[in-house]
Amino acid sequence: MYVTHDRALTAPSHDTAAVVAELRDRTEIIDALHRFALGQDLKDKELFASAFAVDAELDFRPAAAKWGAEPPLMSGRDTIVTTVLAMFTGRVDTTHQVTNARIAVDGDTARLTALVEAQHLLVADPAVHALLKNPYTVDLARDGDRWVIRRLRIDNTWYTGDPTAIFG
């Protein structure tokens, strides 16, 4: 699952233009995941949608299986945005922290792996919450000058609290 290359950059250090291009790609790649996380936290539909390709998939099933939930595989940017924001807006406050990002770029596609800590608190009863540590595997595609998520698979290493804070 994890990207485990022994170094971050593949461009030769003497090729300044290639290094700059690779750094730009890597920044835009991690920004797609940041848009995903912050878009949820702010309930910002445009920001959240900007993270995804039109035909994106979001697979939360591996994480949810850890506590017996069975959410559907979400397909299509509009479905993902509508479903996730409807599930959280006015009901759940979230915060996401992205760490340990590793990136492998292959032309106009990339794979990103990261650890994401996600906190979910019920608005009506903040004592009901769930804290999750989730490994993310993200397949991305170049979209002009930015990168977008094609497929996001979320697993779970551990959680504490009540997962009903996520799904109800």
Side-chain angles (χ1 to χ4, degrees):
M1 178 220 131
Y2 290 104
V3 173
T4 58
H5 299 311
D6 64 350
R7 60 188 206 164
L9 298 179
T10 58
S13 60
H14 66 275
D15 187 344
T16 304
V19 169
V20 169
E22 186 172 351
L23 289 172
R24 179 182 175 89
D25 280 344
R26 289 175 176 280
T27 300
E28 293 296 334
I29 288 165
I30 193 69
D31 187 64
L33 188 54
H34 289 153
R35 295 190 315 265
F36 166 83
L38 190 59
Q40 284 181 81
D41 295 345
L42 298 176
K43 315 304 185 274
D44 183 324
K45 183 178 181 179
E46 287 183 34
L47 181 61
F48 190 54
S50 77
F52 296 101
V54 171
D55 61 347
E57 286 185 357
L58 174 59
D59 189 358
F60 192 70
R61 296 173 304 177
K66 300 286 171 85
W67 57 84
E70 297 179 8
L73 173 67
M74 290 180 250
S75 297
R77 177 177 55 214
D78 293 342
T79 298
I80 293 166
V81 171
T82 301
T83 302
V84 171
L85 293 184
M87 185 170 47
F88 291 157
T89 301
R91 192 182 76 77
V92 180
D93 283 332
T94 63
T95 58
H96 291 78
Q97 294 81 42
V98 177
T99 66
N100 296 26
R102 296 290 310 204
I103 299 166
V105 180
D106 185 12
D108 289 337
T109 63
R111 171 156 286 188
L112 162 66
T113 59
L115 291 176
V116 177
E117 190 169 280
Q119 177 78 49
H120 302 76
L121 276 76
L122 288 183
V123 172
D125 184 2
V128 178
H129 66 278
L131 176 63
L132 300 91
K133 184 64 84 170
N134 295 331
Y136 279 36
T137 303
V138 189
D139 294 323
L140 302 102
R142 188 183 307 274
D143 180 27
D145 286 339
R146 68 179 187 161
W147 288 76
V148 291
I149 296 169
R150 296 285 317 273
R151 185 165 196 279
L152 171 55
R153 182 182 185 276
I154 302 173
D155 205 339
N156 176 258
T157 302
W158 58 261
Y159 71 91
T160 185
D162 184 354
T164 62
I166 301 168
F167 296 114

